[in-house]
Amino acid sequence: MDTLKDMIDALVLLTEIALVLRFIFCCIKQSDQEDQPQLYKKQKRTALIALVAVVCVYDIPEIISKYF
């Protein structure tokens, strides 16, 4: 059971890192593009929403289980 929890923790961490890197990549690309900044703005927003969703889905059950 501990191995499964460790694998889930690693996948969540990997997902969070990937989303942060995606956000940084979109910021850099948006600053380079003057003709289509709206495309990268939308992608940045999507990356942030996904990051918040991953953090909430993973952390809220852990907080609740530690509380009880």
Coordinates of all heavy atoms in Angstrom, one line a residue:
M1 N 0.8 -1.2 0.0 CA 0.0 0.0 0.0 C 0.9 1.3 0.0 O 0.5 2.3 -0.6 CB -0.9 0.0 1.2 CG -2.0 0.9 1.1 SD -3.1 0.5 -0.2 CE -4.6 1.4 0.3
D2 N 2.0 1.2 0.7 CA 2.9 2.3 0.7 C 3.5 2.6 -0.7 O 3.7 3.8 -1.0 CB 4.0 2.1 1.7 CG 3.5 2.2 3.1 OD1 2.5 2.8 3.4 OD2 4.1 1.5 4.0
T3 N 3.7 1.6 -1.4 CA 4.3 1.7 -2.8 C 3.3 2.5 -3.7 O 3.7 3.4 -4.4 CB 4.6 0.4 -3.4 OG1 5.5 -0.3 -2.5 CG2 5.3 0.6 -4.8
L4 N 2.0 2.1 -3.6 CA 1.0 2.8 -4.3 C 0.9 4.3 -4.0 O 0.8 5.1 -4.8 CB -0.4 2.1 -4.1 CG -1.5 2.6 -4.9 CD1 -1.3 2.5 -6.4 CD2 -2.8 1.9 -4.5
K5 N 0.9 4.6 -2.7 CA 0.9 6.0 -2.2 C 2.1 6.7 -2.7 O 1.9 7.9 -3.1 CB 0.8 6.0 -0.7 CG 0.7 7.4 -0.2 CD 0.0 7.5 1.1 CE 0.0 8.9 1.7 NZ -0.4 9.9 0.8
D6 N 3.3 6.1 -2.7 CA 4.5 6.8 -3.2 C 4.4 7.0 -4.7 O 4.8 8.1 -5.2 CB 5.7 5.9 -2.9 CG 6.0 5.9 -1.4 OD1 5.5 6.8 -0.7 OD2 6.7 4.9 -1.0
M7 N 3.8 6.1 -5.4 CA 3.6 6.3 -6.9 C 2.6 7.4 -7.2 O 2.9 8.3 -8.1 CB 3.2 5.0 -7.5 CG 4.2 4.0 -7.7 SD 3.7 2.4 -8.4 CE 2.6 2.8 -9.6
I8 N 1.6 7.5 -6.4 CA 0.6 8.6 -6.6 C 1.2 9.9 -6.3 O 1.0 10.9 -7.0 CB -0.7 8.3 -5.7 CG1 -1.4 7.1 -6.3 CG2 -1.6 9.5 -5.7 CD1 -2.5 6.6 -5.4
D9 N 2.0 10.0 -5.2 CA 2.7 11.2 -4.8 C 3.6 11.7 -5.9 O 3.7 12.8 -6.2 CB 3.4 11.0 -3.5 CG 2.5 10.9 -2.3 OD1 1.3 11.3 -2.4 OD2 3.0 10.4 -1.2
A10 N 4.4 10.7 -6.5 CA 5.3 11.1 -7.5 C 4.6 11.6 -8.8 O 5.0 12.5 -9.4 CB 6.2 9.8 -7.9
L11 N 3.5 10.9 -9.1 CA 2.7 11.4 -10.3 C 2.1 12.7 -10.1 O 2.1 13.6 -11.0 CB 1.7 10.3 -10.7 CG 2.2 9.1 -11.3 CD1 1.0 8.1 -11.5 CD2 2.8 9.3 -12.6
V12 N 1.6 13.0 -8.9 CA 1.0 14.3 -8.6 C 2.1 15.4 -8.7 O 1.9 16.5 -9.3 CB 0.3 14.3 -7.3 CG1 0.0 15.7 -6.8 CG2 -1.0 13.5 -7.4
L13 N 3.3 15.1 -8.1 CA 4.4 16.1 -8.1 C 4.8 16.3 -9.6 O 5.1 17.4 -10.0 CB 5.5 15.5 -7.3 CG 6.8 16.4 -7.2 CD1 6.4 17.7 -6.5 CD2 7.9 15.7 -6.5
L14 N 4.9 15.2 -10.4 CA 5.3 15.4 -11.7 C 4.3 16.2 -12.5 O 4.7 17.1 -13.4 CB 5.5 14.0 -12.4 CG 6.0 13.9 -13.8 CD1 7.4 14.4 -13.8 CD2 5.9 12.5 -14.3
T15 N 3.1 16.0 -12.3 CA 2.0 16.8 -12.9 C 2.1 18.2 -12.6 O 2.0 19.1 -13.4 CB 0.6 16.2 -12.6 OG1 0.6 14.8 -12.9 CG2 -0.5 16.9 -13.3
E16 N 2.3 18.5 -11.3 CA 2.4 19.9 -10.8 C 3.6 20.6 -11.5 O 3.5 21.7 -11.9 CB 2.5 20.0 -9.3 CG 1.2 19.6 -8.6 CD 1.4 19.5 -7.1 OE1 2.5 19.7 -6.6 OE2 0.4 19.3 -6.4
I17 N 4.7 19.9 -11.5 CA 5.9 20.5 -12.2 C 5.7 20.7 -13.6 O 6.1 21.8 -14.2 CB 7.2 19.5 -11.9 CG1 7.6 19.6 -10.5 CG2 8.3 20.0 -12.8 CD1 8.6 18.5 -10.1
A18 N 5.1 19.8 -14.3 CA 4.8 20.0 -15.7 C 3.9 21.2 -16.0 O 4.1 21.9 -16.9 CB 4.2 18.7 -16.3
L19 N 2.9 21.4 -15.2 CA 2.0 22.5 -15.3 C 2.6 23.8 -15.1 O 2.4 24.8 -15.8 CB 0.7 22.3 -14.5 CG -0.2 21.2 -14.9 CD1 -1.3 20.9 -13.9 CD2 -0.9 21.6 -16.2
V20 N 3.5 23.8 -14.1 CA 4.3 25.1 -13.8 C 5.2 25.4 -15.0 O 5.3 26.6 -15.4 CB 5.0 25.0 -12.5 CG1 6.0 26.1 -12.3 CG2 4.1 24.9 -11.3
L21 N 5.8 24.4 -15.5 CA 6.7 24.6 -16.6 C 5.9 25.0 -17.9 O 6.4 25.9 -18.6 CB 7.5 23.4 -16.9 CG 8.6 23.0 -15.9 CD1 9.3 21.7 -16.3 CD2 9.7 24.1 -15.9
R22 N 4.7 24.5 -18.0 CA 3.9 24.9 -19.1 C 3.5 26.4 -19.0 O 3.4 27.1 -20.0 CB 2.6 24.0 -19.2 CG 1.6 24.4 -20.2 CD 2.2 24.1 -21.6 NE 1.2 24.4 -22.6 CZ 1.4 24.6 -23.9 NH1 2.6 24.3 -24.3 NH2 0.5 24.9 -24.7
F23 N 3.2 26.8 -17.8 CA 2.8 28.2 -17.5 C 4.0 29.1 -17.9 O 3.8 30.1 -18.5 CB 2.4 28.4 -16.1 CG 1.9 29.8 -15.8 CD1 0.7 30.2 -16.2 CD2 2.8 30.6 -15.1 CE1 0.3 31.5 -15.9 CE2 2.4 31.9 -14.8 CZ 1.2 32.4 -15.2
I24 N 5.2 28.7 -17.4 CA 6.4 29.5 -17.7 C 6.6 29.6 -19.2 O 6.9 30.7 -19.8 CB 7.6 29.0 -16.9 CG1 7.4 29.2 -15.4 CG2 8.9 29.6 -17.4 CD1 8.4 28.5 -14.6
F25 N 6.5 28.5 -19.9 CA 6.7 28.4 -21.3 C 5.7 29.4 -22.0 O 6.1 30.1 -23.0 CB 6.5 27.0 -21.8 CG 6.5 26.8 -23.3 CD1 7.7 26.9 -24.0 CD2 5.4 26.6 -24.0 CE1 7.8 26.7 -25.4 CE2 5.4 26.5 -25.4 CZ 6.6 26.6 -26.1
C26 N 4.4 29.3 -21.6 CA 3.4 30.2 -22.2 C 3.7 31.7 -22.0 O 3.5 32.5 -22.8 CB 2.0 29.9 -21.7 SG 1.4 28.3 -22.4
C27 N 4.2 32.0 -20.8 CA 4.6 33.4 -20.5 C 5.7 33.9 -21.4 O 5.7 35.0 -21.9 CB 5.0 33.5 -19.0 SG 3.7 33.4 -17.8
I28 N 6.7 33.0 -21.6 CA 7.8 33.4 -22.5 C 7.3 33.5 -23.9 O 7.7 34.5 -24.6 CB 8.9 32.3 -22.4 CG1 9.6 32.4 -21.0 CG2 10.0 32.5 -23.5 CD1 10.5 31.2 -20.7
K29 N 6.5 32.6 -24.4 CA 6.0 32.6 -25.8 C 5.1 33.9 -26.0 O 5.1 34.5 -27.0 CB 5.3 31.4 -26.1 CG 6.2 30.2 -26.4 CD 7.1 30.5 -27.6 CE 7.2 29.3 -28.4 NZ 8.0 29.6 -29.6
Q30 N 4.3 34.2 -25.0 CA 3.4 35.3 -25.1 C 4.2 36.6 -25.2 O 3.8 37.6 -25.9 CB 2.5 35.4 -23.9 CG 1.4 36.5 -24.0 CD 0.5 36.6 -22.8 OE1 0.7 35.9 -21.8 NE2 -0.5 37.4 -22.9
S31 N 5.3 36.7 -24.5 CA 6.1 37.9 -24.5 C 6.8 38.1 -25.9 O 7.1 39.2 -26.4 CB 7.1 38.0 -23.4 OG 8.1 37.0 -23.6
D32 N 7.1 36.9 -26.5 CA 7.7 37.0 -27.9 C 6.8 37.2 -29.0 O 7.1 37.8 -30.0 CB 8.4 35.6 -28.2 CG 9.7 35.4 -27.3 OD1 10.1 36.4 -26.7 OD2 10.1 34.3 -27.2
Q33 N 5.5 36.9 -28.8 CA 4.5 37.0 -29.9 C 3.7 38.3 -29.7 O 3.0 38.4 -28.7 CB 3.5 35.8 -29.9 CG 4.1 34.5 -30.2 CD 4.2 34.3 -31.7 OE1 3.6 35.1 -32.5 NE2 4.8 33.3 -32.1
E34 N 3.8 39.2 -30.6 CA 3.0 40.4 -30.5 C 1.7 40.3 -31.4 O 0.7 41.0 -31.1 CB 3.7 41.6 -31.0 CG 4.7 42.2 -30.0 CD 6.1 41.7 -30.2 OE1 6.4 41.3 -31.3 OE2 6.8 41.6 -29.2
D35 N 1.7 39.3 -32.3 CA 0.5 39.2 -33.2 C -0.6 38.3 -32.6 O -1.8 38.6 -32.9 CB 0.9 38.7 -34.6 CG 1.7 37.4 -34.5 OD1 2.1 37.0 -33.4 OD2 1.8 36.7 -35.6
Q36 N -0.3 37.3 -31.8 CA -1.3 36.4 -31.3 C -1.1 36.2 -29.8 O -0.9 35.1 -29.3 CB -1.4 35.1 -32.0 CG -1.9 35.2 -33.4 CD -1.9 33.8 -34.0 OE1 -1.1 32.9 -33.6 NE2 -2.8 33.6 -34.9
P37 N -1.2 37.2 -29.0 CA -1.0 37.0 -27.5 C -2.2 36.3 -26.9 O -2.0 35.7 -25.8 CB -0.8 38.4 -27.0 CG -1.5 39.3 -27.9 CD -1.4 38.6 -29.3
Q38 N -3.4 36.4 -27.5 CA -4.5 35.8 -26.9 C -4.4 34.3 -26.8 O -5.0 33.6 -25.9 CB -5.8 36.2 -27.7 CG -6.1 37.7 -27.6 CD -6.4 38.2 -26.2 OE1 -6.8 37.4 -25.3 NE2 -6.2 39.4 -26.0
L39 N -3.8 33.6 -27.8 CA -3.6 32.2 -27.8 C -2.9 31.7 -26.5 O -3.3 30.8 -25.8 CB -2.9 31.7 -29.0 CG -2.5 30.3 -29.1 CD1 -3.8 29.5 -29.3 CD2 -1.6 30.0 -30.2
Y40 N -1.8 32.4 -26.2 CA -1.0 32.0 -25.0 C -1.6 32.4 -23.7 O -1.4 31.8 -22.7 CB 0.5 32.5 -25.2 CG 1.2 31.8 -26.3 CD1 1.5 32.5 -27.5 CD2 1.6 30.5 -26.2 CE1 2.2 31.9 -28.5 CE2 2.2 29.9 -27.2 CZ 2.5 30.6 -28.4 OH 3.2 29.9 -29.4
K41 N -2.4 33.5 -23.8 CA -3.1 33.9 -22.6 C -4.1 32.8 -22.2 O -4.3 32.5 -21.0 CB -3.8 35.2 -22.9 CG -4.5 35.8 -21.6 CD -5.1 37.2 -22.0 CE -5.7 37.8 -20.8 NZ -6.3 39.1 -21.0
K42 N -4.8 32.3 -23.2 CA -5.8 31.2 -22.9 C -5.1 30.0 -22.4 O -5.6 29.3 -21.5 CB -6.6 30.9 -24.2 CG -7.7 30.0 -24.0 CD -8.5 29.8 -25.3 CE -9.6 28.8 -25.0 NZ -10.4 28.6 -26.3
Q43 N -4.0 29.6 -23.0 CA -3.2 28.4 -22.5 C -2.7 28.6 -21.1 O -2.6 27.7 -20.3 CB -2.1 28.1 -23.5 CG -2.6 27.6 -24.8 CD -1.4 27.3 -25.8 OE1 -0.3 27.5 -25.5 NE2 -1.8 26.8 -27.0
K44 N -2.3 29.9 -20.8 CA -1.8 30.1 -19.4 C -3.0 29.9 -18.4 O -2.8 29.3 -17.4 CB -1.3 31.5 -19.3 CG 0.1 31.7 -19.8 CD 0.7 33.1 -19.6 CE -0.2 34.2 -19.2 NZ 0.5 35.5 -19.1
R45 N -4.1 30.4 -18.8 CA -5.3 30.3 -17.9 C -5.7 28.8 -17.7 O -5.9 28.4 -16.6 CB -6.5 31.1 -18.4 CG -7.7 31.1 -17.5 CD -8.8 31.9 -18.1 NE -9.3 31.3 -19.3 CZ -9.6 31.9 -20.4 NH1 -9.5 33.2 -20.5 NH2 -10.1 31.3 -21.4
T46 N -5.6 28.1 -18.8 CA -5.9 26.6 -18.7 C -4.9 25.9 -17.8 O -5.3 25.0 -17.0 CB -6.0 26.0 -20.1 OG1 -6.9 26.8 -20.9 CG2 -6.4 24.6 -20.1
A47 N -3.6 26.3 -17.9 CA -2.6 25.6 -17.1 C -2.8 25.9 -15.6 O -2.7 25.0 -14.8 CB -1.2 26.1 -17.6
L48 N -3.2 27.2 -15.3 CA -3.4 27.5 -13.9 C -4.7 26.8 -13.4 O -4.7 26.3 -12.2 CB -3.6 29.0 -13.8 CG -2.3 29.8 -13.8 CD1 -2.7 31.3 -13.7 CD2 -1.4 29.5 -12.7
I49 N -5.7 26.7 -14.2 CA -6.9 26.0 -13.7 C -6.6 24.5 -13.5 O -7.1 24.0 -12.5 CB -8.1 26.2 -14.7 CG1 -8.5 27.7 -14.7 CG2 -9.2 25.3 -14.5 CD1 -9.5 28.0 -15.8
A50 N -5.9 23.9 -14.4 CA -5.5 22.5 -14.2 C -4.6 22.3 -12.9 O -4.8 21.4 -12.2 CB -4.8 22.0 -15.4
L51 N -3.7 23.3 -12.7 CA -2.9 23.2 -11.5 C -3.7 23.3 -10.2 O -3.5 22.5 -9.3 CB -1.8 24.3 -11.5 CG -0.8 24.3 -10.4 CD1 0.0 23.0 -10.4 CD2 0.1 25.5 -10.5
V52 N -4.6 24.2 -10.2 CA -5.5 24.3 -9.0 C -6.3 23.1 -8.8 O -6.5 22.6 -7.7 CB -6.4 25.6 -9.1 CG1 -7.4 25.6 -8.1 CG2 -5.5 26.8 -9.0
A53 N -6.8 22.5 -9.9 CA -7.7 21.3 -9.9 C -6.8 20.1 -9.3 O -7.3 19.4 -8.5 CB -8.2 21.0 -11.2
V54 N -5.6 20.0 -9.8 CA -4.8 18.9 -9.3 C -4.5 19.0 -7.8 O -4.6 18.1 -7.1 CB -3.5 18.8 -10.1 CG1 -2.4 17.9 -9.5 CG2 -3.7 18.3 -11.5
V55 N -4.2 20.2 -7.4 CA -3.8 20.5 -6.0 C -5.1 20.2 -5.1 O -5.0 19.6 -4.1 CB -3.3 21.9 -5.8 CG1 -3.2 22.2 -4.3 CG2 -1.9 22.0 -6.5
C56 N -6.2 20.7 -5.6 CA -7.4 20.5 -4.8 C -7.9 19.1 -4.7 O -8.2 18.6 -3.6 CB -8.6 21.3 -5.4 SG -8.4 23.1 -5.1
V57 N -7.8 18.4 -5.8 CA -8.3 17.0 -5.9 C -7.4 16.1 -5.0 O -7.8 15.2 -4.4 CB -8.3 16.5 -7.3 CG1 -8.5 15.0 -7.4 CG2 -9.5 17.1 -8.1
Y58 N -6.1 16.4 -5.0 CA -5.2 15.6 -4.2 C -5.1 16.0 -2.7 O -5.1 15.2 -1.8 CB -3.8 15.6 -4.8 CG -2.8 14.7 -4.1 CD1 -3.0 13.3 -4.2 CD2 -1.8 15.2 -3.4 CE1 -2.1 12.5 -3.6 CE2 -0.9 14.4 -2.7 CZ -1.1 13.0 -2.8 OH -0.2 12.2 -2.2
D59 N -5.1 17.3 -2.4 CA -4.8 17.7 -1.1 C -6.0 17.8 -0.2 O -5.9 17.5 1.0 CB -4.2 19.1 -1.1 CG -2.8 19.1 -1.5 OD1 -2.2 18.0 -1.5 OD2 -2.2 20.2 -1.9
I60 N -7.2 18.0 -0.7 CA -8.4 18.1 0.2 C -8.7 16.8 0.8 O -9.0 16.8 2.1 CB -9.6 18.7 -0.6 CG1 -9.4 20.2 -0.9 CG2 -10.9 18.5 0.1 CD1 -10.4 20.8 -1.7
P61 N -8.7 15.6 0.1 CA -8.9 14.4 0.9 C -7.9 14.1 1.9 O -8.2 13.5 3.0 CB -8.9 13.3 -0.2 CG -9.3 14.0 -1.5 CD -8.7 15.4 -1.3
E62 N -6.6 14.5 1.7 CA -5.6 14.3 2.7 C -5.8 15.1 3.9 O -5.6 14.7 5.1 CB -4.2 14.6 2.1 CG -3.7 13.4 1.3 CD -2.2 13.6 1.0 OE1 -1.5 14.4 1.6 OE2 -1.7 12.9 0.0
I63 N -6.2 16.4 3.7 CA -6.5 17.2 4.8 C -7.7 16.7 5.6 O -7.7 16.7 6.9 CB -6.8 18.7 4.3 CG1 -5.5 19.3 3.8 CG2 -7.4 19.6 5.4 CD1 -5.7 20.6 3.0
I64 N -8.7 16.2 5.0 CA -9.9 15.7 5.7 C -9.5 14.4 6.4 O -9.9 14.3 7.6 CB -11.0 15.4 4.7 CG1 -11.6 16.7 4.1 CG2 -12.1 14.6 5.3 CD1 -12.6 16.6 3.0
S65 N -8.7 13.6 5.8 CA -8.3 12.3 6.6 C -7.4 12.6 7.8 O -7.5 12.0 8.8 CB -7.6 11.4 5.6 OG -6.4 11.9 5.2
K66 N -6.6 13.7 7.7 CA -5.8 14.0 8.8 C -6.6 14.7 9.9 O -6.3 14.6 11.1 CB -4.6 14.9 8.4 CG -3.6 14.2 7.6 CD -2.5 15.2 7.2 CE -1.4 14.4 6.3 NZ -0.4 15.3 5.9
Y67 N -7.7 15.4 9.5 CA -8.5 16.1 10.5 C -9.3 15.1 11.3 O -9.4 15.2 12.5 CB -9.5 17.0 9.8 CG -10.4 17.8 10.7 CD1 -9.9 18.8 11.5 CD2 -11.7 17.4 10.8 CE1 -10.7 19.5 12.4 CE2 -12.6 18.1 11.7 CZ -12.1 19.1 12.5 OH -12.9 19.8 13.3
F68 N -9.8 14.0 10.7 CA -10.5 13.0 11.4 C -9.6 11.9 11.8 O -9.5 11.1 12.5 CB -11.7 12.4 10.5 CG -12.7 13.4 10.2 CD1 -12.9 13.9 9.0 CD2 -13.5 13.9 11.2 CE1 -13.9 14.8 8.7 CE2 -14.5 14.8 11.0 CZ -14.7 15.3 9.7

